[in-house]
Amino acid sequence: MLLRCLTALAGVTALLLPAEYPIELDGAGGVTDRVRALDGREEEVRTAVGEVAGKGLLLYVAYVRDFAGLTAQTWTDATAERNQLPADAVLLGVGTAERAFAFSVDASSGLTPEQIDEIRRTAVGPAVERHDWAGAAIGAARGLMAVREGVPVPSPAPSTGPPHPGAAPGSGDVPVVLPVAVFAAGVLVLCYLVARGARGGRGPRRE
């Protein structure tokens, strides 16, 4: 029943929803950049993300224009579920137009809400506020390594990036399908949450 629900709704949402709805992670090195937010710093980010694996964690980062009506946390958790990320994987979802982000962390990862909150406040939030999209991922990577080592989370070096990556004319055509799209997305996310609950799922994290 649940599988049929997910299959049918995935087909519907693929036709109706913009790319910002829960996506398939398809980027190299754990980084999926749908809006070209990294501004020539792709290799630097992938290097930082790759270093996290040495601490017994996997870091994935996804950049989209926005979360299309979902909260950052709901979108990021749903994307993690869609991609069946393992328990030792952390997903950072970043919506550049909204300057919003969230972590999806499995409850059995060994990371505490307090550790994630420290990374959010110290390493990721300041970078997102100044449009330093690459710095947000690098800060997340260094923050995860720091909490694994039991040392303070380092603050990112001051830098800026493009304020509106991925912006394009013609985005006004999205509202034509928005009411149906939002409904379909809501039901799809509900299916993800049901599946997550059935498996024990990824634990809640602060917005």
Side-chain angles (χ1 to χ4, degrees), residues 131-171:
H131 310 116
D132 182 9
W133 314 118
I138 294 167
R142 292 175 178 169
L144 288 169
M145 291 190 290
V147 298
R148 278 298 207 215
E149 295 170 355
V151 299
V153 173
S155 299
S159 183
T160 58
H164 303 293
S171 59

PDB file of all heavy atoms in Angstrom, residues 131-171:
ATOM      1  N   HIS A 131      25.364  34.997   2.315  1.00  0.00           N
ATOM      2  CA  HIS A 131      25.341  34.361   0.995  1.00  0.00           C
ATOM      3  C   HIS A 131      26.619  33.593   0.680  1.00  0.00           C
ATOM      4  O   HIS A 131      26.963  33.419  -0.492  1.00  0.00           O
ATOM      5  CB  HIS A 131      25.092  35.386  -0.122  1.00  0.00           C
ATOM      6  CG  HIS A 131      23.923  36.282   0.108  1.00  0.00           C
ATOM      7  ND1 HIS A 131      24.039  37.639   0.262  1.00  0.00           N
ATOM      8  CD2 HIS A 131      22.601  35.999   0.234  1.00  0.00           C
ATOM      9  CE1 HIS A 131      22.852  38.169   0.450  1.00  0.00           C
ATOM     10  NE2 HIS A 131      21.950  37.191   0.449  1.00  0.00           N
ATOM     11  N   ASP A 132      27.308  33.144   1.694  1.00  0.00           N
ATOM     12  CA  ASP A 132      28.521  32.349   1.480  1.00  0.00           C
ATOM     13  C   ASP A 132      28.102  30.879   1.432  1.00  0.00           C
ATOM     14  O   ASP A 132      28.253  30.132   2.393  1.00  0.00           O
ATOM     15  CB  ASP A 132      29.519  32.607   2.607  1.00  0.00           C
ATOM     16  CG  ASP A 132      30.827  31.846   2.422  1.00  0.00           C
ATOM     17  OD1 ASP A 132      31.024  31.247   1.334  1.00  0.00           O
ATOM     18  OD2 ASP A 132      31.644  31.835   3.352  1.00  0.00           O
ATOM     19  N   TRP A 133      27.566  30.490   0.277  1.00  0.00           N
ATOM     20  CA  TRP A 133      26.989  29.147   0.155  1.00  0.00           C
ATOM     21  C   TRP A 133      28.056  28.069   0.283  1.00  0.00           C
ATOM     22  O   TRP A 133      27.815  27.035   0.911  1.00  0.00           O
ATOM     23  CB  TRP A 133      26.259  29.032  -1.183  1.00  0.00           C
ATOM     24  CG  TRP A 133      25.383  30.201  -1.474  1.00  0.00           C
ATOM     25  CD1 TRP A 133      25.493  31.083  -2.516  1.00  0.00           C
ATOM     26  CD2 TRP A 133      24.255  30.652  -0.698  1.00  0.00           C
ATOM     27  NE1 TRP A 133      24.515  32.043  -2.442  1.00  0.00           N
ATOM     28  CE2 TRP A 133      23.742  31.806  -1.341  1.00  0.00           C
ATOM     29  CE3 TRP A 133      23.641  30.190   0.472  1.00  0.00           C
ATOM     30  CZ2 TRP A 133      22.639  32.506  -0.855  1.00  0.00           C
ATOM     31  CZ3 TRP A 133      22.546  30.888   0.958  1.00  0.00           C
ATOM     32  CH2 TRP A 133      22.053  32.025   0.300  1.00  0.00           C
ATOM     33  N   ALA A 134      29.219  28.290  -0.318  1.00  0.00           N
ATOM     34  CA  ALA A 134      30.307  27.322  -0.162  1.00  0.00           C
ATOM     35  C   ALA A 134      30.748  27.253   1.294  1.00  0.00           C
ATOM     36  O   ALA A 134      30.995  26.168   1.838  1.00  0.00           O
ATOM     37  CB  ALA A 134      31.486  27.708  -1.058  1.00  0.00           C
ATOM     38  N   GLY A 135      30.827  28.408   1.948  1.00  0.00           N
ATOM     39  CA  GLY A 135      31.229  28.437   3.349  1.00  0.00           C
ATOM     40  C   GLY A 135      30.272  27.692   4.256  1.00  0.00           C
ATOM     41  O   GLY A 135      30.690  27.146   5.290  1.00  0.00           O
ATOM     42  N   ALA A 136      28.991  27.649   3.887  1.00  0.00           N
ATOM     43  CA  ALA A 136      28.015  26.911   4.695  1.00  0.00           C
ATOM     44  C   ALA A 136      28.346  25.423   4.707  1.00  0.00           C
ATOM     45  O   ALA A 136      28.324  24.772   5.762  1.00  0.00           O
ATOM     46  CB  ALA A 136      26.606  27.144   4.159  1.00  0.00           C
ATOM     47  N   ALA A 137      28.658  24.874   3.538  1.00  0.00           N
ATOM     48  CA  ALA A 137      29.005  23.452   3.460  1.00  0.00           C
ATOM     49  C   ALA A 137      30.331  23.167   4.139  1.00  0.00           C
ATOM     50  O   ALA A 137      30.477  22.176   4.862  1.00  0.00           O
ATOM     51  CB  ALA A 137      29.052  23.008   2.001  1.00  0.00           C
ATOM     52  N   ILE A 138      31.305  24.040   3.917  1.00  0.00           N
ATOM     53  CA  ILE A 138      32.613  23.856   4.543  1.00  0.00           C
ATOM     54  C   ILE A 138      32.483  23.975   6.060  1.00  0.00           C
ATOM     55  O   ILE A 138      33.083  23.200   6.819  1.00  0.00           O
ATOM     56  CB  ILE A 138      33.618  24.881   3.992  1.00  0.00           C
ATOM     57  CG1 ILE A 138      33.873  24.602   2.504  1.00  0.00           C
ATOM     58  CG2 ILE A 138      34.927  24.845   4.782  1.00  0.00           C
ATOM     59  CD1 ILE A 138      34.603  25.715   1.779  1.00  0.00           C
ATOM     60  N   GLY A 139      31.675  24.932   6.511  1.00  0.00           N
ATOM     61  CA  GLY A 139      31.442  25.079   7.942  1.00  0.00           C
ATOM     62  C   GLY A 139      30.771  23.859   8.542  1.00  0.00           C
ATOM     63  O   GLY A 139      31.125  23.427   9.649  1.00  0.00           O
ATOM     64  N   ALA A 140      29.808  23.293   7.800  1.00  0.00           N
ATOM     65  CA  ALA A 140      29.145  22.083   8.281  1.00  0.00           C
ATOM     66  C   ALA A 140      30.145  20.934   8.401  1.00  0.00           C
ATOM     67  O   ALA A 140      30.148  20.188   9.391  1.00  0.00           O
ATOM     68  CB  ALA A 140      28.007  21.698   7.339  1.00  0.00           C
ATOM     69  N   ALA A 141      31.003  20.792   7.389  1.00  0.00           N
ATOM     70  CA  ALA A 141      31.996  19.716   7.401  1.00  0.00           C
ATOM     71  C   ALA A 141      32.968  19.872   8.568  1.00  0.00           C
ATOM     72  O   ALA A 141      33.223  18.921   9.325  1.00  0.00           O
ATOM     73  CB  ALA A 141      32.756  19.692   6.074  1.00  0.00           C
ATOM     74  N   ARG A 142      33.491  21.071   8.738  1.00  0.00           N
ATOM     75  CA  ARG A 142      34.451  21.296   9.823  1.00  0.00           C
ATOM     76  C   ARG A 142      33.781  21.213  11.187  1.00  0.00           C
ATOM     77  O   ARG A 142      34.388  20.776  12.169  1.00  0.00           O
ATOM     78  CB  ARG A 142      35.127  22.652   9.621  1.00  0.00           C
ATOM     79  CG  ARG A 142      36.041  22.655   8.394  1.00  0.00           C
ATOM     80  CD  ARG A 142      36.626  24.021   8.096  1.00  0.00           C
ATOM     81  NE  ARG A 142      37.528  23.952   6.942  1.00  0.00           N
ATOM     82  CZ  ARG A 142      38.026  25.017   6.328  1.00  0.00           C
ATOM     83  NH1 ARG A 142      37.722  26.237   6.766  1.00  0.00           N
ATOM     84  NH2 ARG A 142      38.821  24.875   5.280  1.00  0.00           N
ATOM     85  N   GLY A 143      32.503  21.627  11.238  1.00  0.00           N
ATOM     86  CA  GLY A 143      31.771  21.517  12.491  1.00  0.00           C
ATOM     87  C   GLY A 143      31.542  20.075  12.902  1.00  0.00           C
ATOM     88  O   GLY A 143      31.701  19.714  14.079  1.00  0.00           O
ATOM     89  N   LEU A 144      31.180  19.234  11.933  1.00  0.00           N
ATOM     90  CA  LEU A 144      30.983  17.814  12.240  1.00  0.00           C
ATOM     91  C   LEU A 144      32.290  17.170  12.703  1.00  0.00           C
ATOM     92  O   LEU A 144      32.297  16.367  13.650  1.00  0.00           O
ATOM     93  CB  LEU A 144      30.439  17.079  11.005  1.00  0.00           C
ATOM     94  CG  LEU A 144      28.985  17.381  10.643  1.00  0.00           C
ATOM     95  CD1 LEU A 144      28.649  16.812   9.274  1.00  0.00           C
ATOM     96  CD2 LEU A 144      28.036  16.806  11.699  1.00  0.00           C
ATOM     97  N   MET A 145      33.383  17.513  12.061  1.00  0.00           N
ATOM     98  CA  MET A 145      34.670  16.956  12.492  1.00  0.00           C
ATOM     99  C   MET A 145      35.037  17.438  13.890  1.00  0.00           C
ATOM    100  O   MET A 145      35.571  16.677  14.703  1.00  0.00           O
ATOM    101  CB  MET A 145      35.754  17.323  11.482  1.00  0.00           C
ATOM    102  CG  MET A 145      35.599  16.614  10.139  1.00  0.00           C
ATOM    103  SD  MET A 145      37.026  16.814   9.033  1.00  0.00           S
ATOM    104  CE  MET A 145      36.883  18.545   8.605  1.00  0.00           C
ATOM    105  N   ALA A 146      34.708  18.698  14.182  1.00  0.00           N
ATOM    106  CA  ALA A 146      35.043  19.258  15.497  1.00  0.00           C
ATOM    107  C   ALA A 146      34.272  18.554  16.610  1.00  0.00           C
ATOM    108  O   ALA A 146      34.857  18.191  17.646  1.00  0.00           O
ATOM    109  CB  ALA A 146      34.756  20.762  15.519  1.00  0.00           C
ATOM    110  N   VAL A 147      32.961  18.353  16.418  1.00  0.00           N
ATOM    111  CA  VAL A 147      32.189  17.721  17.492  1.00  0.00           C
ATOM    112  C   VAL A 147      32.594  16.256  17.659  1.00  0.00           C
ATOM    113  O   VAL A 147      32.552  15.720  18.774  1.00  0.00           O
ATOM    114  CB  VAL A 147      30.667  17.853  17.253  1.00  0.00           C
ATOM    115  CG1 VAL A 147      30.252  19.309  17.240  1.00  0.00           C
ATOM    116  CG2 VAL A 147      30.221  17.150  15.982  1.00  0.00           C
ATOM    117  N   ARG A 148      33.033  15.619  16.585  1.00  0.00           N
ATOM    118  CA  ARG A 148      33.535  14.253  16.703  1.00  0.00           C
ATOM    119  C   ARG A 148      34.826  14.212  17.516  1.00  0.00           C
ATOM    120  O   ARG A 148      35.090  13.252  18.246  1.00  0.00           O
ATOM    121  CB  ARG A 148      33.773  13.658  15.323  1.00  0.00           C
ATOM    122  CG  ARG A 148      32.544  13.091  14.637  1.00  0.00           C
ATOM    123  CD  ARG A 148      31.967  11.949  15.425  1.00  0.00           C
ATOM    124  NE  ARG A 148      31.246  11.011  14.585  1.00  0.00           N
ATOM    125  CZ  ARG A 148      30.164  10.363  14.957  1.00  0.00           C
ATOM    126  NH1 ARG A 148      29.663  10.567  16.172  1.00  0.00           N
ATOM    127  NH2 ARG A 148      29.569   9.496  14.158  1.00  0.00           N
ATOM    128  N   GLU A 149      35.635  15.259  17.391  1.00  0.00           N
ATOM    129  CA  GLU A 149      36.908  15.308  18.101  1.00  0.00           C
ATOM    130  C   GLU A 149      36.773  15.916  19.494  1.00  0.00           C
ATOM    131  O   GLU A 149      37.736  15.940  20.261  1.00  0.00           O
ATOM    132  CB  GLU A 149      37.912  16.127  17.285  1.00  0.00           C
ATOM    133  CG  GLU A 149      38.280  15.480  15.948  1.00  0.00           C
ATOM    134  CD  GLU A 149      39.079  16.421  15.053  1.00  0.00           C
ATOM    135  OE1 GLU A 149      39.250  17.603  15.436  1.00  0.00           O
ATOM    136  OE2 GLU A 149      39.513  15.975  13.972  1.00  0.00           O
ATOM    137  N   GLY A 150      35.583  16.447  19.803  1.00  0.00           N
ATOM    138  CA  GLY A 150      35.355  17.041  21.112  1.00  0.00           C
ATOM    139  C   GLY A 150      35.992  18.393  21.288  1.00  0.00           C
ATOM    140  O   GLY A 150      36.340  18.785  22.410  1.00  0.00           O
ATOM    141  N   VAL A 151      36.147  19.132  20.181  1.00  0.00           N
ATOM    142  CA  VAL A 151      36.738  20.473  20.256  1.00  0.00           C
ATOM    143  C   VAL A 151      35.695  21.492  19.806  1.00  0.00           C
ATOM    144  O   VAL A 151      34.692  21.133  19.174  1.00  0.00           O
ATOM    145  CB  VAL A 151      37.999  20.567  19.371  1.00  0.00           C
ATOM    146  CG1 VAL A 151      39.044  19.568  19.844  1.00  0.00           C
ATOM    147  CG2 VAL A 151      37.656  20.333  17.900  1.00  0.00           C
ATOM    148  N   PRO A 152      35.883  22.787  20.113  1.00  0.00           N
ATOM    149  CA  PRO A 152      34.905  23.801  19.714  1.00  0.00           C
ATOM    150  C   PRO A 152      34.723  23.872  18.196  1.00  0.00           C
ATOM    151  O   PRO A 152      35.674  23.679  17.433  1.00  0.00           O
ATOM    152  CB  PRO A 152      35.505  25.099  20.264  1.00  0.00           C
ATOM    153  CG  PRO A 152      36.387  24.659  21.386  1.00  0.00           C
ATOM    154  CD  PRO A 152      36.950  23.341  20.965  1.00  0.00           C
ATOM    155  N   VAL A 153      33.523  24.158  17.786  1.00  0.00           N
ATOM    156  CA  VAL A 153      33.227  24.313  16.360  1.00  0.00           C
ATOM    157  C   VAL A 153      33.840  25.614  15.863  1.00  0.00           C
ATOM    158  O   VAL A 153      33.591  26.682  16.437  1.00  0.00           O
ATOM    159  CB  VAL A 153      31.705  24.319  16.118  1.00  0.00           C
ATOM    160  CG1 VAL A 153      31.381  24.660  14.665  1.00  0.00           C
ATOM    161  CG2 VAL A 153      31.107  22.963  16.501  1.00  0.00           C
ATOM    162  N   PRO A 154      34.641  25.573  14.805  1.00  0.00           N
ATOM    163  CA  PRO A 154      35.265  26.809  14.310  1.00  0.00           C
ATOM    164  C   PRO A 154      34.288  27.668  13.514  1.00  0.00           C
ATOM    165  O   PRO A 154      33.395  27.155  12.849  1.00  0.00           O
ATOM    166  CB  PRO A 154      36.395  26.292  13.408  1.00  0.00           C
ATOM    167  CG  PRO A 154      35.897  24.958  12.931  1.00  0.00           C
ATOM    168  CD  PRO A 154      35.094  24.384  14.070  1.00  0.00           C
ATOM    169  N   SER A 155      34.472  28.969  13.599  1.00  0.00           N
ATOM    170  CA  SER A 155      33.678  29.900  12.791  1.00  0.00           C
ATOM    171  C   SER A 155      34.253  29.955  11.381  1.00  0.00           C
ATOM    172  O   SER A 155      35.469  29.855  11.191  1.00  0.00           O
ATOM    173  CB  SER A 155      33.705  31.294  13.404  1.00  0.00           C
ATOM    174  OG  SER A 155      33.145  31.285  14.700  1.00  0.00           O
ATOM    175  N   PRO A 156      33.390  30.122  10.377  1.00  0.00           N
ATOM    176  CA  PRO A 156      33.894  30.186   8.997  1.00  0.00           C
ATOM    177  C   PRO A 156      34.633  31.489   8.741  1.00  0.00           C
ATOM    178  O   PRO A 156      34.346  32.522   9.358  1.00  0.00           O
ATOM    179  CB  PRO A 156      32.616  30.095   8.154  1.00  0.00           C
ATOM    180  CG  PRO A 156      31.536  30.638   9.046  1.00  0.00           C
ATOM    181  CD  PRO A 156      31.923  30.219  10.437  1.00  0.00           C
ATOM    182  N   ALA A 157      35.590  31.455   7.827  1.00  0.00           N
ATOM    183  CA  ALA A 157      36.290  32.673   7.422  1.00  0.00           C
ATOM    184  C   ALA A 157      35.321  33.582   6.679  1.00  0.00           C
ATOM    185  O   ALA A 157      34.487  33.104   5.907  1.00  0.00           O
ATOM    186  CB  ALA A 157      37.470  32.315   6.527  1.00  0.00           C
ATOM    187  N   PRO A 158      35.385  34.893   6.898  1.00  0.00           N
ATOM    188  CA  PRO A 158      34.470  35.815   6.217  1.00  0.00           C
ATOM    189  C   PRO A 158      34.597  35.716   4.701  1.00  0.00           C
ATOM    190  O   PRO A 158      35.694  35.758   4.141  1.00  0.00           O
ATOM    191  CB  PRO A 158      34.915  37.194   6.720  1.00  0.00           C
ATOM    192  CG  PRO A 158      35.613  36.925   8.009  1.00  0.00           C
ATOM    193  CD  PRO A 158      36.288  35.605   7.829  1.00  0.00           C
ATOM    194  N   SER A 159      33.478  35.553   4.037  1.00  0.00           N
ATOM    195  CA  SER A 159      33.435  35.476   2.583  1.00  0.00           C
ATOM    196  C   SER A 159      32.001  35.702   2.144  1.00  0.00           C
ATOM    197  O   SER A 159      31.079  35.626   2.952  1.00  0.00           O
ATOM    198  CB  SER A 159      33.941  34.112   2.095  1.00  0.00           C
ATOM    199  OG  SER A 159      33.967  34.064   0.688  1.00  0.00           O
ATOM    200  N   THR A 160      31.808  35.992   0.880  1.00  0.00           N
ATOM    201  CA  THR A 160      30.463  36.170   0.337  1.00  0.00           C
ATOM    202  C   THR A 160      30.341  35.401  -0.969  1.00  0.00           C
ATOM    203  O   THR A 160      31.341  35.017  -1.573  1.00  0.00           O
ATOM    204  CB  THR A 160      30.141  37.653   0.082  1.00  0.00           C
ATOM    205  OG1 THR A 160      31.107  38.195  -0.821  1.00  0.00           O
ATOM    206  CG2 THR A 160      30.149  38.456   1.375  1.00  0.00           C
ATOM    207  N   GLY A 161      29.104  35.208  -1.382  1.00  0.00           N
ATOM    208  CA  GLY A 161      28.834  34.530  -2.635  1.00  0.00           C
ATOM    209  C   GLY A 161      27.721  35.239  -3.373  1.00  0.00           C
ATOM    210  O   GLY A 161      27.272  36.310  -2.960  1.00  0.00           O
ATOM    211  N   PRO A 162      27.241  34.664  -4.474  1.00  0.00           N
ATOM    212  CA  PRO A 162      26.159  35.300  -5.231  1.00  0.00           C
ATOM    213  C   PRO A 162      24.882  35.358  -4.401  1.00  0.00           C
ATOM    214  O   PRO A 162      24.468  34.353  -3.831  1.00  0.00           O
ATOM    215  CB  PRO A 162      26.000  34.383  -6.450  1.00  0.00           C
ATOM    216  CG  PRO A 162      26.557  33.067  -6.008  1.00  0.00           C
ATOM    217  CD  PRO A 162      27.657  33.383  -5.056  1.00  0.00           C
ATOM    218  N   PRO A 163      24.230  36.528  -4.300  1.00  0.00           N
ATOM    219  CA  PRO A 163      23.054  36.639  -3.442  1.00  0.00           C
ATOM    220  C   PRO A 163      21.853  35.861  -3.934  1.00  0.00           C
ATOM    221  O   PRO A 163      21.035  35.388  -3.138  1.00  0.00           O
ATOM    222  CB  PRO A 163      22.766  38.143  -3.419  1.00  0.00           C
ATOM    223  CG  PRO A 163      23.416  38.678  -4.647  1.00  0.00           C
ATOM    224  CD  PRO A 163      24.614  37.822  -4.880  1.00  0.00           C
ATOM    225  N   HIS A 164      21.704  35.725  -5.245  1.00  0.00           N
ATOM    226  CA  HIS A 164      20.525  35.041  -5.785  1.00  0.00           C
ATOM    227  C   HIS A 164      20.922  34.033  -6.856  1.00  0.00           C
ATOM    228  O   HIS A 164      20.551  34.178  -8.023  1.00  0.00           O
ATOM    229  CB  HIS A 164      19.531  36.050  -6.355  1.00  0.00           C
ATOM    230  CG  HIS A 164      19.098  37.080  -5.365  1.00  0.00           C
ATOM    231  ND1 HIS A 164      18.332  36.769  -4.260  1.00  0.00           N
ATOM    232  CD2 HIS A 164      19.340  38.420  -5.298  1.00  0.00           C
ATOM    233  CE1 HIS A 164      18.105  37.863  -3.558  1.00  0.00           C
ATOM    234  NE2 HIS A 164      18.717  38.874  -4.151  1.00  0.00           N
ATOM    235  N   PRO A 165      21.683  33.007  -6.501  1.00  0.00           N
ATOM    236  CA  PRO A 165      22.073  32.026  -7.525  1.00  0.00           C
ATOM    237  C   PRO A 165      20.856  31.278  -8.047  1.00  0.00           C
ATOM    238  O   PRO A 165      19.916  30.988  -7.321  1.00  0.00           O
ATOM    239  CB  PRO A 165      23.009  31.079  -6.758  1.00  0.00           C
ATOM    240  CG  PRO A 165      22.576  31.201  -5.339  1.00  0.00           C
ATOM    241  CD  PRO A 165      22.156  32.632  -5.173  1.00  0.00           C
ATOM    242  N   GLY A 166      20.880  30.998  -9.338  1.00  0.00           N
ATOM    243  CA  GLY A 166      19.793  30.231  -9.928  1.00  0.00           C
ATOM    244  C   GLY A 166      18.583  31.044 -10.280  1.00  0.00           C
ATOM    245  O   GLY A 166      17.618  30.507 -10.836  1.00  0.00           O
ATOM    246  N   ALA A 167      18.568  32.350  -9.970  1.00  0.00           N
ATOM    247  CA  ALA A 167      17.407  33.171 -10.302  1.00  0.00           C
ATOM    248  C   ALA A 167      17.300  33.289 -11.810  1.00  0.00           C
ATOM    249  O   ALA A 167      18.282  33.466 -12.521  1.00  0.00           O
ATOM    250  CB  ALA A 167      17.550  34.555  -9.671  1.00  0.00           C
ATOM    251  N   ALA A 168      16.070  33.180 -12.300  1.00  0.00           N
ATOM    252  CA  ALA A 168      15.861  33.240 -13.739  1.00  0.00           C
ATOM    253  C   ALA A 168      14.505  33.853 -14.028  1.00  0.00           C
ATOM    254  O   ALA A 168      13.559  33.674 -13.266  1.00  0.00           O
ATOM    255  CB  ALA A 168      15.937  31.840 -14.364  1.00  0.00           C
ATOM    256  N   PRO A 169      14.368  34.582 -15.146  1.00  0.00           N
ATOM    257  CA  PRO A 169      13.057  35.109 -15.507  1.00  0.00           C
ATOM    258  C   PRO A 169      12.108  33.982 -15.852  1.00  0.00           C
ATOM    259  O   PRO A 169      12.528  32.883 -16.227  1.00  0.00           O
ATOM    260  CB  PRO A 169      13.352  35.976 -16.743  1.00  0.00           C
ATOM    261  CG  PRO A 169      14.616  35.428 -17.307  1.00  0.00           C
ATOM    262  CD  PRO A 169      15.407  34.949 -16.120  1.00  0.00           C
ATOM    263  N   GLY A 170      10.815  34.257 -15.707  1.00  0.00           N
ATOM    264  CA  GLY A 170       9.827  33.236 -16.044  1.00  0.00           C
ATOM    265  C   GLY A 170       9.394  32.407 -14.872  1.00  0.00           C
ATOM    266  O   GLY A 170       8.568  31.510 -15.014  1.00  0.00           O
ATOM    267  N   SER A 171       9.949  32.666 -13.672  1.00  0.00           N
ATOM    268  CA  SER A 171       9.559  31.873 -12.511  1.00  0.00           C
ATOM    269  C   SER A 171       8.131  32.148 -12.105  1.00  0.00           C
ATOM    270  O   SER A 171       7.557  31.417 -11.313  1.00  0.00           O
ATOM    271  CB  SER A 171      10.497  32.160 -11.334  1.00  0.00           C
ATOM    272  OG  SER A 171      10.459  33.534 -10.999  1.00  0.00           O
TER     273      SER A 171
END
